[in-house]
Amino acid sequence: MIHSIFIINRSGGLIYHKNYSSKIAQLSSNEALTLAGTFHGIHVLASRISPATRGGDTVKDSGIQTIDTKNFRIHCYQTPTGIKFIAATDLLETKLTDILAKVYVLYSDYALKNP
Amino acid sequence: MAMAKQLKATGEEAWKNNVEKVNAELFIFTYGSLVVQLVKDFEDYSAVNKQLDKMGYNIGVRLIDDILARTGIEKCGDFHTTAEVISKVGFRVFLNIAPSVSGWSADSKEFSLILDDNPLNDFCELPPKAVQDGLWYSNVLCGVIRGALEMMQMQTEVWFVKDVLRGDDVSEIRVKLVRVLDEEVPVGDE
């Protein structure tokens, strides 16, 4: 059960957000922008302070993938170009990577090619 | 070389399954009329080259997301891998050709892509003045490569060395890595 979706570009600016259920708090657009910026910041922090790097330094850590709280979970999928797809869902969804990857395909098809 | 084979397979599979195709002739003719229009507008062939490169750059920054989304390729470890990915996956998926990679410089920062047949050149002949003044007909490809690599944190210079339309036997594009960008905020994005 997905509650909302955010798409953040590589400099941390929010490019899209949408609520899909009425249970979640409705964010004003200002709050959504702040949330996106904050998330971008902690995502970068997480990948920089990662203690584990795979046998060499050419592969960086992937950054935040999920954040758990008592009532819901935030999933994040980062593309190699720096775009982050974030979904807030309830606790029943454990791994949204495939779905977010599909969103990436659709995004590149429709959003980027639209003149 | 197992990696090269794997990339080749990825490219072919993506071409077969994941990509919408348009009529090749339509595409080639559209590109041709685009170049003709630019030549009429600018009247100066080096300005046309620059404009084609700029257009290619804008296409490249978007194209890179498209190809990453479709093929799920991870970030490349080194420049050699990047070259292989561009030739075996990128060109295969979008133009269905397979250029070869060669001409590596000593410090592995430059390489050449050799295109045996460039589909954009079909049905095209350059007038002698264009050849004389240095028009690179497919310069948009250089811009695309430059734009795509810049989104992958690599600043590059890309230019044509040889072109079949100018009388050479193959077309050759030279790609040079200038520097690796380090998570900079893109200019003009705030």
Side-chain angles (χ1 to χ4, degrees):
Chain A
M1 176 67 220
I2 297 183
H3 291 307
S4 62
I5 302 256
F6 293 76
I7 304 184
I8 304 183
N9 68 13
R10 58 201 305 230
S11 44
L14 180 71
I15 38 185
Y16 180 74
H17 93 94
K18 184 140 188 222
N19 268 338
Y20 289 103
S21 79
S22 47
K23 287 193 229 165
I24 201 169
Q26 305 298 326
L27 295 173
S28 76
S29 50
N30 236 353
E31 286 174 1
L33 279 164
T34 319
L35 174 66
T38 315
F39 190 90
H40 174 83
I42 56 176
H43 187 101
V44 174
L45 270 173
S47 61
R48 297 280 165 123
I49 65 174
S50 160
T53 49
R54 276 207 313 241
D57 45 349
T58 50
V59 183
K60 293 194 296 210
D61 185 277
S62 69
I64 294 180
Q65 290 185 308
T66 44
I67 300 180
D68 278 9
T69 70
K70 190 164 173 222
N71 295 320
F72 74 107
R73 186 169 282 146
I74 296 183
H75 305 254
C76 175
Y77 173 70
Q78 157 138 313
T79 73
T81 56
I83 305 183
K84 287 174 259 307
F85 293 88
I86 295 160
T89 73
D90 61 18
L91 291 169
L92 297 171
E93 311 278 345
T94 47
K95 198 158 180 275
L96 272 193
T97 317
D98 298 327
I99 299 187
L100 289 174
K102 190 108 197 290
V103 175
Y104 183 32
V105 174
L106 294 173
Y107 165 80
S108 62
D109 264 341
Y110 293 105
L112 295 182
K113 294 186 186 162
N114 192 349
Chain B
M1 286 331 271
M3 180 204 58
K5 279 214 190 94
Q6 196 186 22
L7 286 175
K8 196 160 163 230
T10 316
E12 280 178 24
E13 195 233 308
W15 163 254
K16 271 191 219 131
N17 300 336
N18 288 357
V19 181
E20 270 173 34
K21 300 175 187 52
V22 295
N23 186 317
E25 277 152 23
L26 173 63
F27 183 64
I28 295 167
F29 283 126
T30 310
Y31 183 68
S33 49
L34 173 78
V35 177
V36 164
Q37 191 63 44
L38 282 176
V39 167
K40 275 203 202 115
D41 285 343
F42 283 103
E43 307 222 352
D44 169 30
Y45 289 109
S46 58
V48 173
N49 281 343
K50 279 207 193 69
Q51 187 67 17
L52 282 173
D53 187 75
K54 204 165 90 155
M55 287 162 61
Y57 177 80
N58 287 331
I59 296 175
V61 300
R62 292 169 175 74
L63 211 66
I64 178 78
D65 268 321
D66 192 28
I67 197 161
L68 285 173
R70 288 183 199 291
T71 57
I73 292 187
E74 297 294 326
K75 206 159 171 193
C76 296
D78 60 14
F79 204 46
H80 280 262
T81 325
T82 312
E84 291 292 323
V85 170
I86 295 176
S87 66
K88 302 241 166 2
V89 184
F91 273 90
R92 167 67 81 177
V93 170
F94 292 113
L95 294 176
N96 201 23
I97 54 174
S100 50
V101 177
S102 67
W104 280 101
S105 68
D107 53 4
S108 284
K109 289 213 170 155
E110 287 189 34
F111 66 93
S112 284
L113 283 164
I114 314 278
L115 292 85
D116 290 321
D117 73 294
N118 181 355
L120 294 175
N121 289 345
D122 289 345
F123 310 119
C124 176
E125 257 178 39
L126 288 185
K129 184 146 194 306
V131 177
Q132 213 177 17
D133 284 349
L135 174 69
W136 295 115
Y137 184 75
S138 306
N139 212 30
V140 76
L141 294 177
C142 296
V144 170
I145 296 176
R146 186 169 64 91
L149 287 179
E150 192 158 311
M151 289 299 272
M152 298 308 286
Q153 314 296 118
M154 288 177 259
Q155 191 179 14
T156 52
E157 275 173 29
V158 187
W159 67 97
F160 258 97
V161 180
K162 292 195 217 160
D163 195 358
V164 178
L165 292 174
R166 299 245 221 141
D168 301 312
D169 47 354
V170 291
S171 299
E172 183 182 336
I173 299 180
R174 191 107 183 117
V175 181
K176 178 172 152 186
L177 174 67
V178 172
R179 62 187 180 118
V180 176
L181 302 168
D182 204 18
E183 304 279 9
E184 285 169 16
V185 176
V187 175
D189 216 17
E190 278 296 338

